[in-house]
């Protein structure tokens, strides 16, 4: 079976976890601090704050900038539910935005129409690692005092106009779940420069507790602590950070492997009748998934599965979920995309011969179907 996505992990990660076991300090500690320092240096940001998932990174960010009941947060419907729940968890209303069919990123003209007095934040998602039009988004937001919390779960290593996603803007959230460009097992990170917001995020990350954080980094437990605000138990553990540190060092080779397979797909899949490709510049981005727009999509997924090839839907649009029915969002491009999208296998462990099998199966499917 060629999986649609999977982590590439090995003896080095295992050794790093064993080393954490030996220290006896499994929770948040020096491994987390070391991982945060790596991220800070990579993105050139004042703050890199590690948490236990990408979802909690988004929630903590929205909560820390004061998103609350009565607020509206604009978000694309075509994203993982993990982008949307954090808005609900703040008591705010997710306002679903349509996408641009060229890259499946948030549509700028549509976004402009959704802004109201209540709009307090925009959560753009860099779909598949392709950066959104950040100049436009930051400019629209800037004029109205709206904050932009980027969901960069797919975009670790991608660049926008030469700058790494995560190195600029208001707040950027990454996910390090098992299938992301690098993994911690589970994990997430928040990148930002603003000291005041960072201070709130750091406190809320661990139950609103102050004073104890620095001591924890040094493997000391302080008996004294103060609680200043409502918080969450969202911090990253040393076990997860140890995995992340090893993956961080392997990232350059992972990025190369992903780019190679995606570029190869581009070459071999172009011209197949029934398949439309998205266009990406792999010199600038690290692709997270490889999504195509396919005729007879459901039959294609079944055919691929029968032939030992995994395929997934990124994603079932949230406005079509029963839970969000009452929103009655009308999103024509998202609906159209949803009827045709499928993500074929892409991960750093894939070989060109795996990719060849995938392409051959797609060609065979369309030939057989006439
Ligand atoms: C676009 C997007 N946003 C948010 C998340 C949530 O990240 P996590 O799984 O680490 O909570 C994911 C994870 O799949 C994602 O793909």
């Amino acid at each position: 079976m060629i999986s649609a996505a999977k982590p590439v992990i090995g003896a080095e990660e295992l050794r790093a976890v064993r080393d954490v076991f030996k220290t006896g300090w499994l929770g948040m500690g020096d491994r987390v601090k070391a991982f945060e320092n790596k991220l800070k240096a990579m993105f050139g940001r004042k703050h890199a704050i590690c948490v236990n998932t990408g979802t909690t990174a988004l929630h903590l960010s929205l909560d820390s900038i004061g998103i609350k009941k009565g607020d509206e947060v604009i978000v694309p419907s075509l994203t993982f539910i993990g982008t949307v729940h954090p808005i609900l968890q703040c008591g705010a209303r997710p306002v679903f935005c349509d996408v641009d069919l060229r890259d499946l990123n948030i549509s700028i003209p549509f976004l402009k129409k959704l802004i109201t007095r209540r709009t307090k934040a925009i959560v753009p998602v860099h779909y598949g690692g392709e950066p959104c039009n950040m100049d436009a988004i930051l400019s629209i937001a800037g004029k109205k005092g709206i904050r932009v919390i980027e969901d960069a779960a797919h975009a670790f290593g991608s660049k926008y106009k030469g700058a790494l996603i995560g190195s600029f803007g208001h707040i950027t959230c990454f996910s390090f779940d098992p299938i992301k460009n690098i993994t911690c097992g589970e994990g997430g990170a928040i990148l930002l420069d603003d000291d005041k917001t960072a201070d709130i995020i750091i406190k809320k990350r661990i139950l609103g507790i102050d004073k104890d954080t620095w001591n924890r980094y040094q493997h000391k437990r302080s008996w004294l602590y103060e609680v200043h605000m409502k918080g969450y138990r969202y911090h990253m553990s040393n076990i997860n950070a140890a995995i992340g540190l090893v993956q961080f060092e392997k990232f350059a080779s992972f990025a190369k492997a992903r780019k190679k397979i995606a570029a190869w797909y581009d070459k071999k899949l172009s011209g197949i009748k029934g398949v439309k490709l998205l266009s990406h510049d792999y010199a600038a981005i690290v692709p997270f998934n490889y999504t195509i727009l396919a005729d007879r999509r459901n039959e294609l997924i079944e055919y691929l599965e029968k032939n030992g090839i995994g395929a997934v839907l990124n994603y079932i649009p949230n406005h079509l979920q029963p839970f969000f029915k009452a929103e009655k969002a009308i999103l024509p491009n998202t609906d159209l995309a949803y009827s045709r999208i499928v993500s074929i296998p892409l991960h750093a462990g894939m070989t060109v011969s795996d990719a060849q099998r995938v392409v051959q199966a797609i060609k065979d499917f369309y030939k057989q179907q006439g």
Side-chain angles (χ1 to χ4, degrees), residues 53-55 58 79-80 82-83 125 151 153-154 175 177 180 186-187 315:
T53 65
T55 305
L58 289 163
T79 184
F80 184 53
T83 317
V125 176
D151 179 343
H154 294 186
S175 158
D177 80 11
K180 291 302 185 291
E186 294 286 1
Y315 296 88

